[in-house]
Amino acid sequence: MTITIKKPKIYIDNIIFSLQKSGGISVVWYEILQRLLTDPEIDLHMIDLPNQNIFRKNLTIPSKVLCENNLSGYPLNVQRYLNPKTDGKGIFHSSYYRTSSSGNFVNITTVHDFTYEYFRAGIPRLIHQFQKSQAIKNSKKIICVSQNTKTDLMRFFPSISQENIKVIYNGVDLVYRPLEKDETELFQICPFSSGEYLLYVGDRKSSYKNFALAVKTSKQTNRPLMMVGGGPLSEKENQVLVNVLGKNRFKILLGINNEQLNRIYNHALCLIYPSLYEGFGIPVLEAQRAGCPVITTNKSSIPEVAGSGAILLDEITGNQLADAVKFLEDNSEFTANLIQKGYQNAERFSWDKCCLETKQVYKEVYEEYF
């Protein structure tokens, strides 16, 4: 007798790749998809949209996996707010707060953070809140990327049963690691010496990221500032940096790959991560895996993710950041111990584990509803 094992039929919505060229959610979605695409235990289908995302271009998606996008006649800035229709029945999991408009599908929503709710205002916040709330209320299971995000979810949606919430931590790419002795040269686009510069990774424009404090710290410690990601510098940003730091005392790198970023982490004096709020905070783990000391805040999900492998500041000011940098400079034994704790902490997180736990949610939902 042949036993047929029913594979969960999963429809994946790749809308996030059309909403951003890079960014943390794109990283998460890319890491999960590259594992699901080679997983024989699920019946995978995808809605894919036009995009210029740097992570999407590294995915090879077979044509047999792609399904028709019934909203393709609408502009992308309209599609993002519309729910696609899918044929048949199965699980629908969107990368960014869409749900299936078909009655035979069970929705799963991943909630990354509540930055709009805490830090945005006006029409953008209202639109985002409405779309997010509709996705959450119409989903049978909600995945949160940290316990802190789950706490925020329960604050804003107290009627959601905790039984329907699953915390699944993000991972960190294994490419981040201490360099071997024969790998220690910096690549040509880095103008600073090893151990000379402070590193800032990610968004500079959101007020809660506190990029201005990273600039102030660079000035107070007389160390150059290396920035990675966050989009090109505007003329105004560039002029401010020239005025505060000096013409040759800062550098921004855009579109670099993980291997190159690993080198940047390896050669930095430390990562300055002054954010007041993160749903997760992947750069903290990248730095820890690369052996780069981390100075950050004791806020939101950051202590949950960083563990004891970072300097966590309760109050964040330029003076406190500068004092922390100088403490690292003057206390080599403490710094070495902090780096070792960072290695150990980062071992708690992996993309394989993240994907495995996500797949387990699919199986549980599929067995319950189909």
Side-chain angles (χ1 to χ4, degrees), residues 126-141:
L126 292 175
I127 293 174
H128 176 86
Q129 280 184 303
F130 176 77
Q131 184 178 24
K132 181 188 283 186
S133 67
Q134 290 299 108
I136 289 171
K137 292 174 182 177
N138 289 312
S139 294
K140 297 298 184 183
K141 189 72 72 172

Side-chain angles (χ1 to χ4, degrees), residues 161-229:
S161 171
Q162 293 201 41
E163 293 181 356
N164 295 333
I165 304 171
K166 173 70 174 179
V167 174
I168 299 179
Y169 286 120
N170 293 332
V172 58
D173 199 307
L174 297 181
V175 74
Y176 295 101
R177 57 186 173 78
L179 295 172
E180 301 292 340
K181 290 182 179 180
D182 60 348
E183 299 178 301
T184 55
E185 289 187 9
L186 275 169
F187 54 103
Q188 292 181 344
I189 56 176
C190 179
F192 308 124
S193 300
S194 181
E196 178 186 10
Y197 58 88
L198 306 181
L199 176 61
Y200 180 93
V201 175
D203 174 26
R204 304 182 307 277
K205 296 178 175 60
S206 300
S207 60
Y208 66 90
K209 294 286 190 176
N210 279 321
F211 172 65
L213 291 183
V215 177
K216 184 177 181 180
T217 305
S218 174
K219 179 177 176 61
Q220 288 183 313
T221 59
N222 193 30
R223 286 186 171 275
L225 181 64
M226 176 70 79
M227 299 161 284
V228 175

Side-chain angles (χ1 to χ4, degrees), residues 9-228:
K9 190 172 186 178
I10 314 297
Y11 279 73
I12 297 291
D13 174 27
N14 291 342
I15 185 68
I16 192 61
F17 293 143
S18 302
L19 301 182
Q20 53 182 207
K21 291 184 179 179
S22 59
I25 300 178
S26 289
V27 173
V28 175
W29 209 245
Y30 162 78
E31 293 290 351
I32 290 174
L33 290 194
Q34 70 167 335
R35 288 162 175 80
L36 292 181
L37 281 164
T38 58
D39 194 318
E41 295 183 353
I42 61 174
D43 182 8
L44 192 65
H45 305 264
M46 287 189 192
I47 297 174
D48 208 48
L49 300 88
N51 66 84
Q52 296 179 329
N53 190 279
I54 64 173
F55 299 101
R56 170 61 184 88
K57 71 179 183 180
N58 292 324
L59 284 173
T60 300
I61 301 179
S63 58
K64 66 180 181 180
V65 170
L66 297 174
C67 52
E68 183 179 356
N69 174 20
N70 71 299
L71 301 174
S72 59
Y74 294 92
L76 283 173
N77 62 349
V78 175
Q79 287 191 55
R80 66 180 295 180
Y81 300 115
L82 301 177
N83 292 325
K85 184 178 181 180
T86 43
D87 296 327
K89 61 181 180 179
I91 291 172
F92 186 86
H93 188 189
S94 175
S95 54
Y96 203 71
Y97 304 123
R98 299 203 300 178
T99 55
S100 172
S101 61
S102 306
N104 291 328
F105 278 77
V106 174
N107 294 299
I108 294 175
T109 290
T110 296
V111 178
H112 297 273
D113 56 49
F114 285 85
T115 55
Y116 272 82
E117 289 78 0
Y118 284 123
F119 301 103
R120 297 291 292 273
I123 293 176
R125 174 179 172 171
L126 292 175
I127 293 174
H128 176 86
Q129 280 184 303
F130 176 77
Q131 184 178 24
K132 181 188 283 186
S133 67
Q134 290 299 108
I136 289 171
K137 292 174 182 177
N138 289 312
S139 294
K140 297 298 184 183
K141 189 72 72 172
I142 300 158
I143 296 171
C144 290
V145 299
S146 64
Q147 290 289 343
N148 188 76
T149 297
K150 177 182 176 181
T151 299
D152 286 339
L153 175 68
M154 297 305 300
R155 175 187 174 186
F156 288 101
F157 298 91
S159 63
I160 300 296
S161 171
Q162 293 201 41
E163 293 181 356
N164 295 333
I165 304 171
K166 173 70 174 179
V167 174
I168 299 179
Y169 286 120
N170 293 332
V172 58
D173 199 307
L174 297 181
V175 74
Y176 295 101
R177 57 186 173 78
L179 295 172
E180 301 292 340
K181 290 182 179 180
D182 60 348
E183 299 178 301
T184 55
E185 289 187 9
L186 275 169
F187 54 103
Q188 292 181 344
I189 56 176
C190 179
F192 308 124
S193 300
S194 181
E196 178 186 10
Y197 58 88
L198 306 181
L199 176 61
Y200 180 93
V201 175
D203 174 26
R204 304 182 307 277
K205 296 178 175 60
S206 300
S207 60
Y208 66 90
K209 294 286 190 176
N210 279 321
F211 172 65
L213 291 183
V215 177
K216 184 177 181 180
T217 305
S218 174
K219 179 177 176 61
Q220 288 183 313
T221 59
N222 193 30
R223 286 186 171 275
L225 181 64
M226 176 70 79
M227 299 161 284
V228 175

Side-chain angles (χ1 to χ4, degrees), residues 333-368:
E333 185 175 345
F334 172 86
T335 302
N337 188 46
L338 187 70
I339 291 172
Q340 186 59 40
K341 288 181 178 179
Y343 292 145
Q344 294 169 354
N345 178 70
E347 288 297 314
R348 296 191 293 134
F349 305 90
S350 81
W351 288 119
D352 285 344
K353 181 181 178 184
C354 174
C355 187
L356 185 64
E357 292 180 0
T358 301
K359 192 174 77 168
Q360 185 60 36
V361 169
Y362 292 160
K363 287 184 175 181
E364 291 172 0
V365 171
Y366 203 80
E367 288 173 1
E368 181 175 355

